[in-house]
Amino acid sequence: MKTITIDPITRLEGHGKISIFLDGKGDVENAYLQIPELRGFERFAQGRRAEDMPQITSRICGVCPVAHHFAATKALDAAFNVDPPSAAKKLRELMYSGYYIYDHILHFYFLGGPDFVVGPDAPAAKRNVLGVIEKAGLEIGKEVIKHRAYGQKITAILGGKATHPVCGLPGGVSKGLNKDEVKDIKDMTKSCINFAQFSLKLFNDIVLQNKVYVDLILSDPYQLKTYNMGLVDKNNKTNFYDGKIRVTDQQGKEKVKFDVKDYTKYVAEHVEEWSYIKFPYLKSVGWNGFKDGKDSGIYRVGPLGRLNASEGMATPLADKEYKKMFETLGGKAINSTLAFHWARLIELLYATERAMELVNDPEITSTKIRNPVGEPGEGIGVTEAARGTLIHHYKLDKKGLIDKANLIVATTNNSGAINMSIRDAAMGIIKKGKVNDGLLNMVEMAFRAYDPCFACATHTLPGGMPLEVNIYDNNKKLYKTMRQNL
Amino acid sequence: MKTIILGVGNKILGDDGVGIHVTDELKKHIKDPNITIDDAVTGGMNLLELLLGYDKAIIVDAVKTNEGEVGEVKRIPLDNFSTMHSCNPHDVSLTEAIEIAKKMGEEKIPQEIIIIGIIMKEIPCEFKEKLSKRIEAAVPKAVEMTLNEIKKDIKISI
């Protein structure tokens, strides 16, 4: 068997490593993304004070500190058997909206968007945010930077440092909002709503008006008919902070809907020996290997997963865009991996509108922001991280120390689907052992859509975008290496 | 002149957090209103934002490279630091972030950015707070080199 290894992946730090296995004819048999999952969290957490978990887990990853912070805080609400006051929930959700604003802007303009806005065939050196600015104009660049910073500021006003939230406590939050802060957040949010609308217009003008791109979105290598998962409110509209977990099938029909406390009844994890990452699947369907379709329990989370799993957005402008996306791409469910980018922009608009609703709520300046906690026990918390459903599960001892801790992170939920997307993209481009330069980009586009979260890593020298492709012959001997920046 | 010393890394990922161990130590030595000492589990755009408005920035961080020995401490001017790293897979690298910011007409980028890099060969993947022996042994050297950086520019009693 021939093995092609791409390592590491452009723009993805961690140790993401892709191995592509060819069959005897030199066609793609399988592809795997190996992510060295951070190990030992349970042991690390054991014996620590439960109320430290929101701070500790927000350090797990420099990308999603806010998502971890609140998944942990909500798990503690449950573990200490306390329901936070309504104002505290609103403050948490407002902060959460700020996180979505900066995170989705960053992904679209800096990471995923360049493939579209600059073009998938553009040279790699142009497919970055500077390429976007070159095409869309310098003024746009300034707006991107400004609104990303607004998202950060909103988060920081509510939570302390944006990269280190400290506000979540079991039963509520540590800090409320004063009138000046409310005004600041309103002004910034208003500007963010406009910017989100502008971003959707940009996507419309540059991507949707270009048949080549629409064809690419709808092309076979990027279709994956999995189940979809996301949090929904009582009207089955997408919510990032709270609600029930809803799973829909390949036609968009509800498969199951459950409280996160019951997640182990619905979701199981498959293990492969080549990866530390587990592969979650729907228990009722079962694990049937790396396949899509109704007989495979693999599901997707993240922007497209969430929008497929819901029946719309709870705010008017975003809901209009939601309907437009499903009409344009042929109804439910949308199976195109590249539609993640579109879904992400619709979510950006929702986050800005939702932030405005919350900051306009008279209760947002309430000082009743914490309820007393009960006796320690077991608790499970869920949030929608920008890249998908995130679950924290803690068991506390009688003193309120952590006895057991388990996390299911978004990228883990998507791990089965990411592997299939990489495989399918590679299949489209590797024929009879022939590999051309387009491979790396097509494969990257396939998984970049998911915005997978790899471990925080140390600086890597030398820089640039190191990329290595190793091709092995049938005897697993290396006969060719393709490299850049190494 | 305003200087920021920033420890970058993740303190709950063993050696990855060495930069913060160094800045924790520096805080004991430096009390000067013109020098800010902080830490960050971040990179790229977020990291750049933390540096804006200072004349000089010193970033203390773990650096993975094939050159040198584990635990060696190197002074790397940013111009020579063409890292793709951002500590954050969803972000651009610091050098890219600076390039972008310059294009945008950002005027608050520090004149000088120095990296004090502690060399390692493996990226830690296991949760723990302790440093490995060779990396722990590098902390005093990194502290000394960082102090030398600020002594050059500012007359302070340390």
Side-chain angles (χ1 to χ4, degrees), chain A residues 11 13 15 38-39 43 48 59 63 106 111 129-130 133 142 148 152 161 387 451-452 456-461 463-464 466, chain B residues 10 12 16 38-39 41 46 49 61-64 81-85 87-90 99-100 104 123 125-127 129:
Chain A
R11 274 189 250 177
E13 272 310 298
H15 315 180
L38 297 177
R39 298 186 298 273
R43 198 170 59 233
R48 289 177 190 270
R59 286 179 182 267
V63 183
L106 183 71
L111 296 163
V129 66
L130 292 171
I133 290 161
K142 287 182 181 166
R148 192 187 150 278
Q152 294 253 351
K161 266 185 179 177
R387 36 206 65 75
D451 194 10
C456 227
T458 48
H459 278 262
T460 306
L461 283 174
Chain B
N10 194 339
I12 60 171
D16 189 76
D38 206 347
D39 58 65
V41 194
N46 287 338
E49 269 163 30
D61 196 1
V63 168
K64 182 173 178 280
F81 194 71
S82 56
T83 178
M84 64 172 275
H85 173 262
C87 184
N88 174 337
H90 311 271
E99 196 187 339
I100 292 159
M104 301 297 143
I123 296 171
C125 263
E126 194 169 351
F127 288 101
E129 283 169 305

Short mmCIF file of all heavy atoms in Angstrom, two decimals, chain A residues 11 13 15 38-39 43 48 59 63 106 111 129-130 133 142 148 152 161 387 451-452 456-461 463-464 466, chain B residues 10 12 16 38-39 41 46 49 61-64 81-85 87-90 99-100 104 123 125-127 129:
data_model
loop_
_atom_site.label_atom_id
_atom_site.label_comp_id
_atom_site.label_asym_id
_atom_site.label_seq_id
_atom_site.Cartn_x
_atom_site.Cartn_y
_atom_site.Cartn_z
N ARG A 11 -1.59 26.44 7.75
CA ARG A 11 -2.46 27.26 8.57
C ARG A 11 -3.04 26.54 9.78
O ARG A 11 -3.72 27.13 10.58
CB ARG A 11 -3.62 27.84 7.75
CG ARG A 11 -3.21 29.14 7.08
CD ARG A 11 -4.40 29.80 6.49
NE ARG A 11 -4.32 29.74 5.04
CZ ARG A 11 -5.25 30.18 4.24
NH1 ARG A 11 -6.35 30.69 4.73
NH2 ARG A 11 -5.10 30.13 2.95
N GLU A 13 -1.89 24.68 13.02
CA GLU A 13 -0.68 24.48 13.77
C GLU A 13 -0.55 23.07 14.28
O GLU A 13 0.18 22.29 13.77
CB GLU A 13 -0.72 25.38 15.00
CG GLU A 13 -0.19 26.74 14.82
CD GLU A 13 1.13 26.84 14.20
OE1 GLU A 13 2.07 26.32 14.79
OE2 GLU A 13 1.24 27.45 13.16
N HIS A 15 -0.60 19.34 15.64
CA HIS A 15 0.19 18.39 14.89
C HIS A 15 -0.71 17.75 13.87
O HIS A 15 -0.61 16.57 13.65
CB HIS A 15 0.75 17.24 15.70
CG HIS A 15 1.38 17.59 16.98
ND1 HIS A 15 1.91 16.66 17.79
CD2 HIS A 15 1.57 18.77 17.60
CE1 HIS A 15 2.40 17.22 18.87
NE2 HIS A 15 2.19 18.51 18.78
N LEU A 38 -5.11 16.42 23.26
CA LEU A 38 -4.50 16.70 24.55
C LEU A 38 -4.92 15.62 25.53
O LEU A 38 -6.09 15.30 25.64
CB LEU A 38 -4.95 18.07 25.05
CG LEU A 38 -4.53 19.23 24.17
CD1 LEU A 38 -5.08 20.52 24.72
CD2 LEU A 38 -3.03 19.30 24.03
N ARG A 39 -3.94 15.07 26.20
CA ARG A 39 -4.24 13.91 27.05
C ARG A 39 -4.19 14.28 28.52
O ARG A 39 -3.56 15.25 28.92
CB ARG A 39 -3.21 12.82 26.77
CG ARG A 39 -3.23 12.30 25.37
CD ARG A 39 -2.28 11.13 25.21
NE ARG A 39 -0.89 11.48 25.46
CZ ARG A 39 -0.07 11.98 24.54
NH1 ARG A 39 -0.52 12.19 23.33
NH2 ARG A 39 1.17 12.25 24.84
N ARG A 43 -7.17 13.26 34.79
CA ARG A 43 -6.22 13.16 35.90
C ARG A 43 -5.84 14.56 36.39
O ARG A 43 -5.70 14.82 37.57
CB ARG A 43 -4.99 12.38 35.44
CG ARG A 43 -4.16 11.86 36.59
CD ARG A 43 -3.09 10.88 36.11
NE ARG A 43 -2.20 11.51 35.14
CZ ARG A 43 -1.94 11.01 33.94
NH1 ARG A 43 -2.53 9.90 33.55
NH2 ARG A 43 -1.12 11.61 33.12
N ARG A 48 -9.27 18.97 42.06
CA ARG A 48 -9.28 20.44 42.03
C ARG A 48 -10.64 20.96 42.47
O ARG A 48 -11.65 20.28 42.36
CB ARG A 48 -8.98 20.95 40.62
CG ARG A 48 -7.55 20.71 40.25
CD ARG A 48 -7.28 21.15 38.82
NE ARG A 48 -5.95 20.68 38.44
CZ ARG A 48 -4.83 21.39 38.61
NH1 ARG A 48 -4.88 22.60 39.10
NH2 ARG A 48 -3.67 20.89 38.26
N ARG A 59 -8.38 27.81 29.59
CA ARG A 59 -6.98 27.82 29.15
C ARG A 59 -6.64 26.63 28.28
O ARG A 59 -5.52 26.51 27.78
CB ARG A 59 -6.05 27.79 30.37
CG ARG A 59 -5.99 29.11 31.09
CD ARG A 59 -5.08 29.00 32.29
NE ARG A 59 -5.06 30.25 33.02
CZ ARG A 59 -4.16 31.21 32.83
NH1 ARG A 59 -3.21 31.05 31.94
NH2 ARG A 59 -4.21 32.32 33.53
N VAL A 63 -8.34 29.34 21.47
CA VAL A 63 -9.32 29.66 20.44
C VAL A 63 -10.72 29.85 21.02
O VAL A 63 -11.42 30.79 20.69
CB VAL A 63 -9.36 28.54 19.38
CG1 VAL A 63 -10.31 28.90 18.28
CG2 VAL A 63 -7.98 28.32 18.84
N LEU A 106 -13.08 36.29 12.22
CA LEU A 106 -11.71 35.81 12.01
C LEU A 106 -11.71 34.65 11.03
O LEU A 106 -10.92 34.63 10.09
CB LEU A 106 -11.12 35.37 13.35
CG LEU A 106 -9.66 34.92 13.29
CD1 LEU A 106 -8.75 36.12 13.04
CD2 LEU A 106 -9.24 34.22 14.57
N LEU A 111 -9.29 32.87 7.32
CA LEU A 111 -8.96 31.47 7.12
C LEU A 111 -9.75 30.81 6.00
O LEU A 111 -9.19 30.34 5.03
CB LEU A 111 -9.17 30.71 8.44
CG LEU A 111 -8.24 31.19 9.55
CD1 LEU A 111 -8.73 30.73 10.90
CD2 LEU A 111 -6.84 30.70 9.31
N VAL A 129 -5.65 36.70 4.08
CA VAL A 129 -6.45 37.90 4.31
C VAL A 129 -5.95 39.08 3.47
O VAL A 129 -6.74 39.92 3.04
CB VAL A 129 -6.52 38.24 5.81
CG1 VAL A 129 -5.15 38.64 6.33
CG2 VAL A 129 -7.54 39.34 6.09
N LEU A 130 -4.64 39.11 3.21
CA LEU A 130 -4.13 40.21 2.39
C LEU A 130 -4.66 40.11 0.96
O LEU A 130 -4.95 41.12 0.33
CB LEU A 130 -2.60 40.21 2.40
CG LEU A 130 -1.99 40.57 3.77
CD1 LEU A 130 -0.50 40.33 3.77
CD2 LEU A 130 -2.31 42.00 4.16
N ILE A 133 -8.11 41.49 1.03
CA ILE A 133 -8.09 42.95 1.08
C ILE A 133 -7.75 43.52 -0.30
O ILE A 133 -8.34 44.50 -0.75
CB ILE A 133 -7.09 43.43 2.15
CG1 ILE A 133 -7.64 43.08 3.53
CG2 ILE A 133 -6.83 44.92 2.04
CD1 ILE A 133 -6.60 43.06 4.62
N LYS A 142 -9.87 47.40 7.00
CA LYS A 142 -10.00 48.17 8.24
C LYS A 142 -11.27 47.80 8.99
O LYS A 142 -11.29 47.71 10.21
CB LYS A 142 -9.98 49.67 7.93
CG LYS A 142 -8.60 50.15 7.55
CD LYS A 142 -8.57 51.65 7.30
CE LYS A 142 -7.16 52.05 6.89
NZ LYS A 142 -7.07 53.38 6.31
N ARG A 148 -13.81 42.85 14.39
CA ARG A 148 -13.27 41.75 15.17
C ARG A 148 -12.90 42.26 16.57
O ARG A 148 -13.20 41.63 17.58
CB ARG A 148 -12.03 41.19 14.47
CG ARG A 148 -11.59 39.91 15.05
CD ARG A 148 -10.27 39.44 14.46
NE ARG A 148 -9.59 38.67 15.48
CZ ARG A 148 -8.89 39.22 16.45
NH1 ARG A 148 -8.72 40.52 16.51
NH2 ARG A 148 -8.35 38.47 17.37
N GLN A 152 -14.28 41.34 20.51
CA GLN A 152 -13.37 41.12 21.65
C GLN A 152 -13.70 42.06 22.80
O GLN A 152 -13.68 41.67 23.96
CB GLN A 152 -11.93 41.38 21.21
CG GLN A 152 -11.42 40.39 20.19
CD GLN A 152 -10.44 39.41 20.78
OE1 GLN A 152 -10.01 39.57 21.90
NE2 GLN A 152 -10.10 38.37 20.04
N LYS A 161 -10.72 39.79 30.82
CA LYS A 161 -9.94 39.65 29.59
C LYS A 161 -10.70 38.78 28.58
O LYS A 161 -11.25 37.74 28.96
CB LYS A 161 -8.64 38.91 29.91
CG LYS A 161 -7.45 39.77 30.19
CD LYS A 161 -6.26 38.84 30.34
CE LYS A 161 -4.98 39.59 30.59
NZ LYS A 161 -3.86 38.66 30.80
N ARG A 387 -17.25 26.26 16.65
CA ARG A 387 -17.05 25.16 15.72
C ARG A 387 -17.86 23.91 16.07
O ARG A 387 -17.65 22.86 15.48
CB ARG A 387 -15.57 24.84 15.56
CG ARG A 387 -14.75 24.99 16.79
CD ARG A 387 -13.29 25.28 16.52
NE ARG A 387 -13.04 26.55 15.87
CZ ARG A 387 -13.11 27.73 16.46
NH1 ARG A 387 -13.44 27.83 17.72
NH2 ARG A 387 -12.86 28.82 15.79
N ASP A 451 -13.24 24.32 10.43
CA ASP A 451 -12.51 25.11 11.40
C ASP A 451 -12.06 24.24 12.57
O ASP A 451 -12.35 24.55 13.73
CB ASP A 451 -13.42 26.26 11.89
CG ASP A 451 -12.63 27.33 12.63
OD1 ASP A 451 -11.39 27.30 12.60
OD2 ASP A 451 -13.28 28.19 13.25
N PRO A 452 -11.42 23.13 12.29
CA PRO A 452 -11.13 22.19 13.38
C PRO A 452 -10.17 22.78 14.39
O PRO A 452 -9.31 23.58 14.06
CB PRO A 452 -10.47 21.01 12.66
CG PRO A 452 -9.93 21.56 11.40
CD PRO A 452 -10.83 22.67 11.01
N CYS A 456 -3.27 23.77 21.17
CA CYS A 456 -2.36 24.88 21.23
C CYS A 456 -0.95 24.33 21.12
O CYS A 456 -0.64 23.30 21.68
CB CYS A 456 -2.51 25.53 22.59
SG CYS A 456 -2.65 27.27 22.50
N ALA A 457 -0.12 25.01 20.43
CA ALA A 457 1.21 24.45 20.25
C ALA A 457 2.28 25.50 20.41
O ALA A 457 1.99 26.68 20.45
CB ALA A 457 1.32 23.83 18.87
N THR A 458 3.50 25.06 20.49
CA THR A 458 4.61 25.99 20.63
C THR A 458 4.98 26.57 19.27
O THR A 458 4.56 26.09 18.25
CB THR A 458 5.83 25.28 21.21
OG1 THR A 458 6.00 24.09 20.47
CG2 THR A 458 5.63 24.97 22.66
N HIS A 459 5.81 27.58 19.30
CA HIS A 459 6.30 28.16 18.05
C HIS A 459 7.04 27.12 17.24
O HIS A 459 7.74 26.29 17.77
CB HIS A 459 7.28 29.29 18.37
CG HIS A 459 6.59 30.56 18.68
ND1 HIS A 459 6.42 31.54 17.76
CD2 HIS A 459 6.03 30.99 19.80
CE1 HIS A 459 5.79 32.55 18.32
NE2 HIS A 459 5.53 32.24 19.57
N THR A 460 6.89 27.20 15.97
CA THR A 460 7.58 26.26 15.09
C THR A 460 8.52 27.03 14.17
O THR A 460 8.12 27.96 13.51
CB THR A 460 6.56 25.50 14.23
OG1 THR A 460 5.61 24.92 15.10
CG2 THR A 460 7.23 24.42 13.43
N LEU A 461 9.77 26.63 14.19
CA LEU A 461 10.75 27.22 13.29
C LEU A 461 11.25 26.12 12.36
O LEU A 461 11.36 25.00 12.77
CB LEU A 461 11.94 27.77 14.07
CG LEU A 461 11.73 29.10 14.79
CD1 LEU A 461 12.96 29.40 15.63
CD2 LEU A 461 11.48 30.23 13.81
N GLY A 463 9.77 29.11 9.72
CA GLY A 463 8.38 29.49 9.53
C GLY A 463 7.86 29.24 8.14
O GLY A 463 8.22 28.30 7.49
N GLY A 464 7.04 30.15 7.66
CA GLY A 464 6.37 29.93 6.40
C GLY A 464 5.26 28.93 6.61
O GLY A 464 4.73 28.80 7.71
N PRO A 466 5.01 25.24 6.36
CA PRO A 466 5.63 23.96 6.05
C PRO A 466 4.61 22.93 5.62
O PRO A 466 3.52 22.84 6.19
CB PRO A 466 6.31 23.55 7.35
CG PRO A 466 5.73 24.39 8.41
CD PRO A 466 5.09 25.57 7.77
N ASN B 10 0.81 28.06 27.38
CA ASN B 10 -0.28 27.48 28.14
C ASN B 10 0.27 26.82 29.40
O ASN B 10 0.95 25.80 29.33
CB ASN B 10 -1.01 26.46 27.27
CG ASN B 10 -2.34 26.07 27.86
OD1 ASN B 10 -2.56 26.23 29.05
ND2 ASN B 10 -3.21 25.56 27.03
N ILE B 12 -1.01 25.13 31.65
CA ILE B 12 -1.48 23.80 32.05
C ILE B 12 -1.07 22.74 31.02
O ILE B 12 -1.53 21.63 31.06
CB ILE B 12 -3.00 23.75 32.31
CG1 ILE B 12 -3.82 24.13 31.07
CG2 ILE B 12 -3.36 24.66 33.48
CD1 ILE B 12 -5.31 23.89 31.23
N ASP B 16 4.95 23.93 27.46
CA ASP B 16 4.37 24.98 26.62
C ASP B 16 4.24 26.29 27.40
O ASP B 16 4.29 27.38 26.83
CB ASP B 16 3.00 24.55 26.09
CG ASP B 16 2.46 25.50 25.05
OD1 ASP B 16 2.94 25.44 23.91
OD2 ASP B 16 1.57 26.32 25.37
N ASP B 38 2.89 40.74 31.40
CA ASP B 38 1.59 40.08 31.29
C ASP B 38 1.79 38.70 30.67
O ASP B 38 2.89 38.36 30.24
CB ASP B 38 0.67 40.94 30.41
CG ASP B 38 -0.81 40.70 30.76
OD1 ASP B 38 -1.11 39.74 31.48
OD2 ASP B 38 -1.65 41.50 30.29
N ASP B 39 0.71 37.92 30.63
CA ASP B 39 0.82 36.64 29.94
C ASP B 39 -0.41 36.41 29.06
O ASP B 39 -1.44 37.04 29.24
CB ASP B 39 1.04 35.49 30.92
CG ASP B 39 -0.07 35.38 31.95
OD1 ASP B 39 -1.22 35.09 31.56
OD2 ASP B 39 0.21 35.59 33.14
N VAL B 41 -2.45 33.24 26.52
CA VAL B 41 -2.55 31.93 25.84
C VAL B 41 -3.08 32.22 24.45
O VAL B 41 -4.18 31.84 24.12
CB VAL B 41 -3.58 31.01 26.52
CG1 VAL B 41 -3.40 29.57 26.03
CG2 VAL B 41 -3.50 31.08 28.00
N ASN B 46 -4.71 38.33 18.14
CA ASN B 46 -4.91 38.61 19.57
C ASN B 46 -3.62 39.06 20.22
O ASN B 46 -3.61 39.97 21.04
CB ASN B 46 -5.40 37.36 20.31
CG ASN B 46 -6.84 37.04 19.96
OD1 ASN B 46 -7.59 37.90 19.53
ND2 ASN B 46 -7.21 35.79 20.14
N GLU B 49 -2.71 42.59 19.27
CA GLU B 49 -3.51 43.60 19.97
C GLU B 49 -2.95 43.90 21.36
O GLU B 49 -3.00 45.03 21.82
CB GLU B 49 -4.97 43.14 20.08
CG GLU B 49 -5.79 43.64 18.90
CD GLU B 49 -7.10 42.89 18.73
OE1 GLU B 49 -7.64 42.42 19.74
OE2 GLU B 49 -7.56 42.80 17.59
N ASP B 61 8.66 32.88 24.96
CA ASP B 61 7.82 31.77 24.51
C ASP B 61 8.66 30.53 24.23
O ASP B 61 9.86 30.61 23.98
CB ASP B 61 7.10 32.19 23.21
CG ASP B 61 5.93 31.27 22.88
OD1 ASP B 61 5.66 30.33 23.65
OD2 ASP B 61 5.29 31.51 21.85
N ALA B 62 7.98 29.40 24.28
CA ALA B 62 8.59 28.15 23.84
C ALA B 62 8.70 28.17 22.32
O ALA B 62 7.79 28.63 21.65
CB ALA B 62 7.73 26.97 24.28
N VAL B 63 9.81 27.67 21.81
CA VAL B 63 10.01 27.65 20.37
C VAL B 63 10.42 26.25 19.95
O VAL B 63 11.36 25.69 20.50
CB VAL B 63 11.11 28.67 19.97
CG1 VAL B 63 11.52 28.44 18.53
CG2 VAL B 63 10.62 30.08 20.16
N LYS B 64 9.69 25.72 19.00
CA LYS B 64 10.07 24.40 18.51
C LYS B 64 10.89 24.56 17.24
O LYS B 64 10.45 25.21 16.29
CB LYS B 64 8.82 23.58 18.20
CG LYS B 64 9.13 22.18 17.72
CD LYS B 64 7.85 21.36 17.59
CE LYS B 64 8.13 19.97 17.06
NZ LYS B 64 8.31 19.93 15.59
N PHE B 81 12.18 35.95 12.52
CA PHE B 81 11.29 34.95 13.08
C PHE B 81 10.11 34.75 12.16
O PHE B 81 9.04 35.30 12.35
CB PHE B 81 10.83 35.42 14.46
CG PHE B 81 10.19 34.34 15.27
CD1 PHE B 81 10.96 33.31 15.79
CD2 PHE B 81 8.84 34.35 15.53
CE1 PHE B 81 10.38 32.31 16.55
CE2 PHE B 81 8.25 33.36 16.29
CZ PHE B 81 9.03 32.34 16.80
N SER B 82 10.34 33.95 11.13
CA SER B 82 9.28 33.81 10.14
C SER B 82 8.36 32.66 10.52
O SER B 82 8.11 31.77 9.76
CB SER B 82 9.89 33.57 8.76
OG SER B 82 10.73 32.44 8.84
N THR B 83 7.90 32.70 11.73
CA THR B 83 7.08 31.58 12.21
C THR B 83 5.69 31.59 11.58
O THR B 83 5.15 32.64 11.24
CB THR B 83 6.91 31.62 13.73
OG1 THR B 83 6.06 30.54 14.11
CG2 THR B 83 6.26 32.91 14.18
N MET B 84 5.13 30.42 11.42
CA MET B 84 3.72 30.34 11.04
C MET B 84 2.89 30.19 12.30
O MET B 84 1.69 30.12 12.27
CB MET B 84 3.47 29.15 10.13
CG MET B 84 3.73 27.81 10.78
SD MET B 84 3.20 26.42 9.77
CE MET B 84 1.49 26.32 10.22
N HIS B 85 3.58 30.08 13.40
CA HIS B 85 2.88 29.77 14.62
C HIS B 85 2.05 30.94 15.11
O HIS B 85 2.42 32.09 14.99
CB HIS B 85 3.88 29.43 15.71
CG HIS B 85 3.23 29.26 17.03
ND1 HIS B 85 3.20 30.25 17.96
CD2 HIS B 85 2.56 28.22 17.55
CE1 HIS B 85 2.53 29.80 19.02
NE2 HIS B 85 2.15 28.59 18.80
N CYS B 87 -0.01 29.95 17.99
CA CYS B 87 -0.53 29.30 19.18
C CYS B 87 -2.01 29.02 19.00
O CYS B 87 -2.70 28.65 19.90
CB CYS B 87 -0.31 30.15 20.43
SG CYS B 87 -0.83 29.34 21.93
N ASN B 88 -2.47 29.21 17.80
CA ASN B 88 -3.91 29.24 17.63
C ASN B 88 -4.20 28.91 16.17
O ASN B 88 -3.91 29.72 15.30
CB ASN B 88 -4.35 30.65 17.99
CG ASN B 88 -5.81 30.89 17.73
OD1 ASN B 88 -6.44 30.22 16.93
ND2 ASN B 88 -6.33 31.88 18.41
N PRO B 89 -4.75 27.74 15.93
CA PRO B 89 -4.92 27.32 14.55
C PRO B 89 -5.94 28.15 13.77
O PRO B 89 -6.04 28.04 12.57
CB PRO B 89 -5.40 25.87 14.67
CG PRO B 89 -5.98 25.77 16.02
CD PRO B 89 -5.24 26.75 16.88
N HIS B 90 -6.67 28.97 14.48
CA HIS B 90 -7.72 29.75 13.79
C HIS B 90 -7.29 31.17 13.57
O HIS B 90 -8.10 32.06 13.47
CB HIS B 90 -9.01 29.71 14.58
CG HIS B 90 -9.35 28.34 14.97
ND1 HIS B 90 -10.10 27.52 14.17
CD2 HIS B 90 -8.99 27.62 16.03
CE1 HIS B 90 -10.18 26.34 14.75
NE2 HIS B 90 -9.53 26.37 15.87
N GLU B 99 2.09 42.35 9.46
CA GLU B 99 2.05 42.77 8.06
C GLU B 99 0.67 43.35 7.70
O GLU B 99 0.55 44.40 7.07
CB GLU B 99 2.37 41.56 7.17
CG GLU B 99 2.72 41.94 5.74
CD GLU B 99 2.86 40.70 4.85
OE1 GLU B 99 3.08 39.59 5.39
OE2 GLU B 99 2.72 40.85 3.63
N ILE B 100 -0.36 42.65 8.17
CA ILE B 100 -1.72 43.11 7.92
C ILE B 100 -1.94 44.47 8.56
O ILE B 100 -2.42 45.41 7.93
CB ILE B 100 -2.75 42.09 8.48
CG1 ILE B 100 -2.69 40.79 7.67
CG2 ILE B 100 -4.16 42.67 8.44
CD1 ILE B 100 -3.26 39.60 8.41
N MET B 104 -2.86 48.22 7.04
CA MET B 104 -4.06 48.95 7.47
C MET B 104 -3.70 50.33 8.01
O MET B 104 -4.58 51.05 8.47
CB MET B 104 -4.78 48.20 8.59
CG MET B 104 -5.24 46.84 8.26
SD MET B 104 -6.43 46.90 6.97
CE MET B 104 -5.98 45.46 6.11
N ILE B 123 6.20 19.11 21.10
CA ILE B 123 5.10 19.96 21.54
C ILE B 123 4.31 19.20 22.59
O ILE B 123 3.82 18.10 22.34
CB ILE B 123 4.19 20.33 20.35
CG1 ILE B 123 4.99 21.16 19.36
CG2 ILE B 123 2.96 21.09 20.84
CD1 ILE B 123 4.27 21.41 18.05
N CYS B 125 1.57 17.64 24.88
CA CYS B 125 0.18 17.30 24.61
C CYS B 125 -0.52 16.75 25.83
O CYS B 125 -1.58 16.16 25.72
CB CYS B 125 0.12 16.25 23.52
SG CYS B 125 -0.16 16.97 21.94
N GLU B 126 0.12 16.87 26.97
CA GLU B 126 -0.48 16.28 28.16
C GLU B 126 -0.66 17.37 29.21
O GLU B 126 0.22 18.19 29.43
CB GLU B 126 0.42 15.17 28.68
CG GLU B 126 -0.30 14.32 29.69
CD GLU B 126 0.48 13.07 30.03
OE1 GLU B 126 1.50 12.79 29.37
OE2 GLU B 126 0.08 12.39 30.98
N PHE B 127 -1.82 17.36 29.85
CA PHE B 127 -2.11 18.36 30.87
C PHE B 127 -1.23 18.16 32.09
O PHE B 127 -1.27 17.11 32.73
CB PHE B 127 -3.58 18.29 31.29
CG PHE B 127 -4.50 18.80 30.24
CD1 PHE B 127 -5.19 17.95 29.42
CD2 PHE B 127 -4.65 20.17 30.07
CE1 PHE B 127 -6.03 18.44 28.44
CE2 PHE B 127 -5.50 20.66 29.09
CZ PHE B 127 -6.18 19.79 28.27
N GLU B 129 1.16 20.84 35.15
CA GLU B 129 1.63 22.19 35.44
C GLU B 129 3.15 22.28 35.59
O GLU B 129 3.72 23.35 35.51
CB GLU B 129 0.95 22.71 36.72
CG GLU B 129 -0.49 23.13 36.43
CD GLU B 129 -1.28 23.40 37.67
OE1 GLU B 129 -1.36 22.50 38.53
OE2 GLU B 129 -1.82 24.50 37.80
#
